[in-house]
Amino acid sequence: MKFNITMLALALLIAGSSCGQKSKQPTSTMANEPVKEGLALATFGSGCFWCTEAVFQNVEGVEKVESGYSGGQVKNPTYKEVCSGLTGHAEVIQLHYDPAKVSYDELLEIFWKTHDPTTLNKQGADEGTQYRSVIFYHNEEQKKLAEKYKAELDKSGIFSNPIVTEITPYTVFYKAEDYHQNYYNLNGNAPYCSYVIQPKLEKFRKVFKHKLKKS
């Protein structure tokens, strides 16, 4: 997709304001719910959770994707509080996935190839600690796989700058307000979806077409 200068400027403006365009103030809710038998959890932060949610909803073997907040010190934070950068939370998505259909390795590959893990507290025009690149691991196996993958990527030289992705133990996930859930599917015509999420999603579908859910 090609943009003229005006459209590109608009896209950057929209991307930079994703944290400020919602005025609703309900609180988040703790969502450490039991995992369905046969499924496992993965928790990733890679910028605006609207984008990340839209990507992983398309992955075969991912049964549920929820947007929320993790890694902070305030209980039940609001979106506005997280956007202030003062709560310590990252915008994350939590996946309920079937390891028999998609491995954690494969999820890590998608995670690292669908955002820039070398920009500290920044994705595109979105800036702030809430947009940091982070993996919250749920067990030692996830920790080992994440650290191994990160080391291999750094060694490979694929990225011109060092990877700054945090790899940290999972503690609690606060499910974001209802209007954040399934955001792209419900708001596909919104400017942020059209100019930021859709191009990213189209690129993902081309690169990972072998891992997409069957229509």
Side-chain angles (χ1 to χ4, degrees), residues 39-110:
L39 300 184
L41 288 178
T43 306
F44 301 132
S46 57
C48 175
F49 48 27
W50 296 341
C51 296
T52 314
E53 177 192 63
V55 165
F56 281 96
Q57 283 178 327
N58 284 267
V59 177
E60 178 66 25
V62 173
E63 301 293 327
K64 183 195 294 187
V65 183
E66 293 181 316
S67 293
Y69 318 113
S70 199
Q73 63 274 1
V74 175
K75 292 183 179 180
N76 298 312
T78 65
Y79 184 55
K80 184 177 181 179
E81 289 171 337
V82 172
C83 285
S84 74
L86 300 177
T87 71
H89 293 90
E91 287 193 13
V92 301
I93 48 119
Q94 187 160 94
L95 313 176
H96 294 235
Y97 70 98
D98 184 349
K101 295 180 179 179
V102 60
S103 68
Y104 192 70
D105 267 334
E106 291 174 309
L107 295 178
L108 287 174
E109 179 185 9
I110 294 168

Side-chain angles (χ1 to χ4, degrees), residues 57 72 86 99 141 161 164 166 201:
Q57 283 178 327
L86 300 177
E141 180 64 17
N161 295 309
V164 296
E166 294 179 17
L201 196 53

